[in-house]
Amino acid sequence: MRGNYMDDGGFYTVKSTSYWPNDYGLYCMSGNVSEWTSNAYDESAYNFTHDLNADYAYEAKDSDPVSLKRKVIRGGSWKDVGFYLQTGTRSYEYQDTAKSYVGFRCVMSFLGRDKADF
């Protein structure tokens, strides 16, 4: 039920440029790490959040129950099956833990380049 790590040469950590970029010139956008979001995780969040701004924030304290310490993660990591690679798929991890397969992406604005450069 997991990916075949040996087939793509990624059994160990590899450089991000080891594979071809996508059509936007970006490397490793799926399957690298699952991305943390700032949203708190609730199974029924889509029932009470607005479609245009589905932000559901809660910063849990140490004294809060474990169920309130969950944060949404999206996209799949190197250890996930293909289903979790979809950005529409959401899962959770606890906000006070670190995992090798959960991270975040740095975003840079489009500086001084022309679209034709790609």
Side-chain angles (χ1 to χ4, degrees):
M1 296 300 291
R2 297 290 182 200
N4 189 343
Y5 307 122
M6 296 303 285
D7 280 351
D8 70 357
F11 189 66
Y12 297 102
T13 304
V14 297
K15 291 183 179 182
S16 62
T17 56
S18 297
Y19 305 107
W20 294 101
N22 66 13
D23 291 341
Y24 298 105
L26 303 173
Y27 291 90
C28 294
M29 289 305 293
S30 64
N32 189 7
V33 293
S34 298
E35 289 81 27
W36 280 112
T37 69
S38 61
N39 288 348
Y41 182 84
D42 188 313
E43 294 87 357
S44 60
Y46 289 145
N47 294 332
F48 59 81
T49 58
H50 194 275
D51 291 345
L52 297 177
N53 184 12
D55 193 27
Y56 174 57
Y58 181 78
E59 288 300 322
K61 301 171 191 70
D62 289 339
S63 59
D64 285 338
V66 176
S67 63
L68 294 178
K69 297 180 181 180
R70 299 181 296 181
K71 293 288 185 180
V72 172
I73 58 171
R74 290 192 178 271
S77 70
W78 52 267
K79 72 158 197 71
D80 291 320
V81 295
F83 173 76
Y84 289 105
L85 295 178
Q86 304 171 74
T87 56
T89 302
R90 74 185 179 122
S91 184
Y92 68 88
E93 284 294 338
Y94 295 97
Q95 70 183 30
D96 55 355
T97 62
K99 305 283 190 221
S100 64
Y101 52 87
V102 179
F104 63 95
R105 297 209 184 271
C106 298
V107 178
M108 184 177 103
S109 60
F110 198 76
L111 298 175
R113 307 245 355 230
D114 185 57
K115 286 192 253 183
D117 291 343
F118 295 105

